[in-house]
């Protein structure tokens, strides 16, 4: 797996590979991947028509290869290439950091390289690979994420003080449904507790994939 804008590359290996049927939603995920890839290379100056031609495939011709990841290696060009990737901390193991006791710190970057750091009202666990952040204002952070969908997030364990740094990639914003309603209710509680009921209003739940946890 390689990210063109950073050249960050991982190689994963398994020994139980098998042809498998597509799961529900796979075609939707593939279409999303294609569009995300187009955005990624377009920002680097490549013609998106090339990518559309390269990735075009009739849905009926798509199959899946399923395997269990047994090993992971860093393949990013540089002195650490071909080394064993660091042990990953699982998102489930730091659930206590996502309960809102200590606000998270989020760092984003504008297309011109200008960084920005902001405190977050909410960091919400979604599943073992995703979390959601509260979208309340169209501010610098929001603008940066829409232009450059990668971010760093620091969360703190409320009892031990241990800090974890997460690498995130923005996927989508949800403005209705169970996740949005859950975060809306929690934000209302935070606003009431801090006397900010007239200011805090959830516009959406920004869903991110967690790429790394340090």
């Amino acid at each position: 797996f390689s990210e063109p804008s950073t050249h960050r590359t991982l190689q994963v290996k398994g020994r139980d590979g098998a042809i498998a049927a597509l799961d529900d939603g796979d075609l939707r995920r593939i279409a999303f991947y294609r569009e995300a890839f187009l955005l990624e290379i377009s920002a680097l100056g490549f013609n998106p028509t090339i990518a559309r031609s390269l990735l075009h495939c009739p849905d009926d011709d798509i199959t899946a290869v399923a395997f269990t990841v047994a090993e992971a290696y860093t393949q990013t060009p540089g002195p650490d290439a071909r080394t064993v990737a660091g042990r990953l901390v699982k998102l489930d193991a730091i659930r206590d950091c996502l309960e809102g006791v200590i606000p998270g710190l989020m760092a984003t970057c504008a297309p011109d390289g200008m960084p920005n750091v902001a405190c977050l009202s909410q960091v919400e666990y979604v599943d073992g690979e995703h979390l959601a952040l509260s979208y309340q204002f169209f501010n610098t952070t929001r603008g940066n994420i829409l232009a450059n969908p990668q971010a760093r997030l620091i969360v703190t364990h409320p009892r031990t003080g241990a800090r974890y740094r997460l690498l995130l990639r923005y996927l989508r914003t949800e403005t209705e449904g169970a996740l949005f309603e859950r975060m809306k209710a929690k934000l209302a509680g935070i606003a009431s507790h801090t006397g900010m009921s007239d200011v805090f209003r959830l516009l959406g739940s920004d869903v991110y994939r967690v790429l790394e946890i340090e």
Side-chain angles (χ1 to χ4, degrees):
F1 303 90
S2 184
E3 185 176 53
S5 61
T6 65
H7 299 296
R8 180 173 180 270
T9 304
L10 292 176
Q11 179 190 54
V12 296
K13 293 184 177 182
R15 299 178 179 84
D16 57 352
I19 301 297
L22 295 180
D23 290 333
D24 291 341
D26 275 351
L27 291 178
R28 177 178 56 80
R29 282 186 282 268
I30 290 169
F32 179 85
Y33 163 79
R34 286 176 177 151
E35 294 306 312
F37 184 68
L38 291 174
L39 289 174
E40 177 83 9
I41 67 168
S42 294
L44 301 176
F46 290 94
N47 188 332
T49 303
I50 297 174
R52 290 189 186 277
S53 300
L54 177 67
L55 298 178
H56 176 72
C57 179
D59 290 348
D60 291 343
D61 288 346
I62 297 175
T63 189
V65 177
F67 67 97
T68 303
V69 176
E71 300 171 353
Y73 295 87
T74 297
Q75 294 285 11
T76 306
D80 294 328
R82 290 182 293 181
T83 58
V84 177
R87 182 178 66 86
L88 297 180
V89 178
K90 301 295 185 181
L91 192 58
D92 293 281
I94 61 170
R95 287 285 296 271
D96 287 347
C97 300
L98 312 180
E99 296 300 324
V101 178
I102 301 176
L105 291 173
M106 184 179 186
T108 58
C109 190
D112 64 0
M114 178 65 69
N116 182 74
V117 177
C119 287
L120 293 175
S121 298
Q122 278 184 283
V123 179
E124 182 78 6
Y125 176 89
V126 176
D127 58 36
E129 297 181 350
H130 302 85
L131 52 75
L133 307 180
S134 56
Y135 160 38
Q136 297 165 234
F137 316 100
F138 194 93
N139 51 16
T140 302
T141 295
R142 180 69 176 175
N144 286 354
I145 281 298
L146 294 180
N148 176 20
Q150 190 161 285
R152 288 281 189 178
L153 174 69
I154 289 179
V155 293
T156 305
H157 196 287
R159 291 191 298 276
T160 67
R163 307 185 85 190
Y164 299 88
R165 182 169 61 185
L166 286 63
L167 177 62
L168 310 177
R169 189 166 187 86
Y170 170 74
L171 298 179
R172 64 184 184 276
T173 298
E174 297 187 5
T175 57
E176 59 182 7
L179 174 63
F180 177 78
E181 293 301 326
R182 185 167 73 246
M183 294 186 67
K184 182 179 178 181
K186 286 186 177 180
L187 184 62
I190 294 172
S192 176
H193 183 70
T194 57
M196 300 289 284
S197 298
D198 295 334
V199 178
F200 284 6
R201 183 170 66 88
L202 188 65
L203 301 179
S205 300
D206 287 347
V207 179
Y208 291 79
R209 179 180 294 278
V210 179
L211 305 179
E212 288 180 0
I213 303 177
E214 302 173 70

